[in-house]
Every structure is written in structure tokens, then in C-alpha cells.
Amino acid sequence: MKSIWNGLRWGGLAALAAALAGCDWVLFDSKGAVGIAQRDLIFICIGLMLIVVVPAIVMALWFPWRFRASNTKEEYRPDWAHSTKVEVVVWGVPLLIVIALATIVWKSTHELDPYRPLDVAGEPLHVQVIATDWKWLFVYPDYGIATVNQLNFPAGRQLVFDITSNSTMNTFFIPQLGGQIYAMAGMRTKLHLIANEEGEFRGMSGNYSGHGFSQMNFIAKATSEQDFQRWVSQVRTAPISLDFETFKKVAQPSQGHAVVHFGGVQSNLFKSVIDQFIGVGENTRSAETVQAPAPIAPVAAIAAHKE
């Protein structure tokens, strides 16, 4: 019997290890201050909850074994009904854990508020994010450029994202940098992130939005400040500019869309995308571009233009 139990135990552990081997632990491989704080919060909460869970599992197995009918060594007390010590432990320990969890989560909720600027010195980088079917458009209003499915930024510099959607609800999510936040039509949400080191991080939507959802991915690339400025200069040479009419062509449903650069952007494009859902802003869509625009390319040329 003992050998059978040992076999089942080790077999179960081997099966669990094999199952976990295929998991992507990207949430626990955080590369940004926000992601690290969220990861630590997960570990702390799990650790506190295991204080109850682990003993409960152990006792659920140990008590039936110890007090089985065939065990004649234990005292038989059929009239036992109450123990103050047991009540104190059963109710007191979970109560203390709940109080600890509530305090930690309350504090962390305010510290990790996505709308709260990070305590990071230096000028932040502003990026306007527009979710479409099924691609991401990134507008850099301070530089007058835009990209499709490519997000570049300097490591160590605070990122301030203004986020909206041109159609269905999505979530903007870079797992290794921090939590996700919804992108909703006619609304603007905000998110503050930072990358502690250079590297490439997977970006995605965490909210199902149709049959092209699985390919709604992008690469978030953190570089040095010098490399970022060189990249901005490169994008500015792109022969395509982005106004609202061009945006509507780019926003047409597509899957696996190639990276596209826009060397000029209509100054109020982000606001125009939001305004189209609330019936205002019709008179602002002809504003000047931040950079002198080149002639608008046909849709086919936009789709074919790659980095």
C-alpha cells in the first residue's frame, strides 16, 4: 500500500512539473518598476493566503487518518462539542490574515493607480494609443510621428499613455512592464509605466475583440535615449502622413498587419477619434499636421510599407 501511495505521489509531482514547464511565467519576469511592484503584491497575497490553505489541506488529510475507526490508540470522545482554543485559531488566524490583506491591498491600490504619475525624475514620454480591428496605432504627439504595431521608447523614462479604441473594447497590456487597462470607444484611459532596462517586451490585447484578436500583438522596445532619438529621426523620414481620413483607412479590419511609420500626424487626431463617438469635433479634423505632410499614399501602399 505504501509503495502504491509513493508511486502516485511522485507521479503526480512529475505530471505537475511537466504541465508547468509549458507555462509562460512572463508576469513574474517583470522588467519595470510597476510590474515588479505588482509581482511582489501577488507573491505577498499568495503567501498570506497559504497560511490558511496549507494547514487546512494538511489537516483535511491528517484528521481522517488519525481518527479512523481502526486506530485504537486515540481517545474516543463521542460527546466532545466545543473547544475555545480551536475556535480562537479557526476564526482568529483568518481574521488577522484578512486584516493584513486588506491593509496591503488598500495601500497598493493607491500606489499602483494607473492614473497616478510615477515618482521618476525627468520629462515623461507621452504616447497616444488607439486600438483598432486588429492592430495598435501609437501616436507620439511631442514628436509628430505615429506607428502601427511598433512601440519604441527609452528605458528609464516614464511613459504616459492616453488610450482609446476606434471600435470594440480591448485592453492595452505589456505584461513585463505592468498591468493592463481598457481601451474603450469614446473614452480616454491613462496608464503610467517604465522599463528599468533595455529590451523587447511583448504587447497584446487582453480582451477578446473578434476573430483577429489572437494576432493583435506588438513589440514594445526599450532602448537608450540616443537610440530612441535616432529612431524618431528615422520615422520622420517616412513618406506617409496620418490625418483622420488616412486613419479611417488604416483602421479597417485586418490581421497580422505589418509595421507602418507615419512621418507626420494631424495634431488633434487622438481627440478626433474619441469625438466621432460622442458627436463633437467635426470641425477640428482638418487641423494642421505637426510636421509638413507628404501626399497621402493609397491604402495598398500603407499596408505594404514596412520598417
Side-chain angles (χ1 to χ4, degrees):
M1 184 68 181
K2 186 176 180 180
S3 61
I4 296 176
W5 166 250
N6 287 335
L8 291 174
R9 181 180 61 180
W10 290 112
L13 291 174
L16 179 62
L20 293 177
C23 294
D24 187 354
W25 293 91
V26 65
L27 283 175
F28 300 131
D29 186 26
S30 302
K31 302 299 183 183
V34 176
I36 291 173
Q38 293 174 341
R39 178 202 65 191
D40 292 345
L41 178 61
I42 293 173
F43 285 152
I44 291 171
C45 290
I46 291 176
L48 286 172
M49 289 184 288
L50 287 178
I51 295 175
V52 170
V53 173
V54 172
I57 294 175
V58 171
M59 288 188 292
L61 298 174
W62 180 64
F63 270 64
W65 174 258
R66 179 178 178 181
F67 297 105
R68 66 195 185 278
S70 60
N71 185 6
T72 58
K73 296 180 181 180
E74 295 296 331
E75 181 183 358
Y76 180 55
R77 301 174 61 186
D79 298 324
W80 181 88
H82 178 77
S83 170
T84 302
K85 294 180 180 180
V86 171
E87 292 290 340
V88 169
V89 173
V90 168
W91 293 104
V93 173
L95 179 61
L96 293 175
I97 293 174
V98 168
I99 293 173
L101 283 173
T103 303
I104 293 170
V105 172
W106 174 271
K107 185 173 182 290
S108 299
T109 297
H110 291 280
E111 291 179 348
L112 297 175
D113 181 356
Y115 282 67
R116 178 180 177 272
L118 305 179
D119 297 325
V120 178
E123 184 68 21
L125 175 64
H126 295 269
V127 182
Q128 295 169 339
V129 182
I130 304 173
T132 71
D133 295 330
W134 286 271
K135 65 190 80 70
W136 294 95
L137 176 67
F138 301 102
V139 178
Y140 295 76
D142 297 335
Y143 295 94
I145 61 173
T147 65
V148 173
N149 284 344
Q150 185 181 49
L151 176 63
N152 281 30
F153 51 88
R157 185 173 175 184
Q158 180 176 186
L159 303 174
V160 181
F161 295 102
D162 292 306
I163 305 167
T164 191
S165 174
N166 188 60
S167 56
T168 58
M169 182 183 294
N170 281 280
T171 56
F172 178 71
F173 192 21
I174 307 175
Q176 286 185 279
L177 297 187
Q180 59 188 316
I181 193 166
Y182 280 107
M184 297 173 283
M187 301 178 65
R188 182 193 69 167
T189 52
K190 294 184 73 71
L191 179 64
H192 292 78
L193 295 176
I194 190 171
N196 290 357
E197 60 186 67
E198 298 180 20
E200 293 187 355
F201 315 110
R202 181 191 177 199
M204 57 184 289
S205 172
N207 190 77
Y208 181 73
S209 58
H211 61 275
F213 157 78
S214 60
Q215 297 184 52
M216 195 172 174
N217 304 314
F218 62 92
I219 295 298
K221 186 175 182 180
T223 65
S224 65
E225 184 67 38
Q226 295 76 14
D227 287 342
F228 173 72
Q229 294 299 334
R230 280 193 289 268
W231 177 79
V232 170
S233 299
Q234 175 192 346
V235 175
R236 281 176 171 165
T237 64
I240 315 172
S241 290
L242 185 65
D243 62 7
F244 191 76
E245 293 303 318
T246 307
F247 167 77
K248 289 193 293 185
K249 298 175 184 177
V250 174
Q252 292 297 314
S254 64
Q255 300 183 44
H257 201 285
V259 171
V260 181
H261 291 167
F262 297 95
V265 181
Q266 181 178 307
S267 59
N268 63 343
L269 178 66
F270 186 81
K271 182 178 184 298
S272 297
V273 173
I274 295 177
D275 287 349
Q276 65 180 327
F277 296 99
I278 56 179
V280 298
E282 293 295 331
N283 297 326
T284 64
R285 292 177 181 168
S286 59
E288 297 178 352
T289 55
V290 175
Q291 189 174 330
I296 301 302
V299 177
I302 293 175
H305 182 75
K306 300 182 180 179
E307 182 185 12

